[in-house]
Amino acid sequence: MKIRFYADRENALTVHFEIWGGMHVLAAGDWIDVEFAESVVPSSVEHLPGALVLTQEGAGVMRIRDSQGREIDPAGG
């Protein structure tokens, strides 16, 4: 499943990638595309004030691209 997440026009959004512990800060008005790997246990999205927590369950790895098309490492590397 592929989903696009946006930061609002006035505030940055911190995105946390679990289970790897990486994070990425989206500038106000920016976005990322996230493609979750298929898994038996469903992956999850949690929206908190100023933050988004994306959790990939199972053995797969989510793929993340920023608005410029660059790949983001969910482990923060």
Side-chain angles (χ1 to χ4, degrees):
M1 170 179 20
K2 186 176 181 179
I3 306 173
R4 181 168 286 178
F5 296 99
Y6 291 88
D8 70 31
R9 294 178 188 208
E10 299 171 3
N11 301 295
L13 180 67
T14 302
V15 184
H16 299 271
F17 305 110
E18 300 298 338
I19 56 175
W20 302 279
M23 71 175 210
H24 180 77
V25 177
L26 285 175
D30 204 5
W31 53 266
I32 58 172
D33 284 334
V34 177
E35 187 172 349
F36 289 99
E38 291 186 30
S39 63
V40 174
V41 179
S43 297
S44 66
V45 176
E46 182 178 6
H47 186 237
L48 306 167
L52 190 64
V53 180
L54 306 177
T55 304
Q56 172 68 59
E57 299 292 349
V61 176
M62 68 176 82
R63 297 193 65 187
I64 306 115
R65 294 206 179 273
D66 67 14
S67 59
Q68 302 299 311
R70 297 175 295 226
E71 192 156 1
I72 297 170
D73 181 356

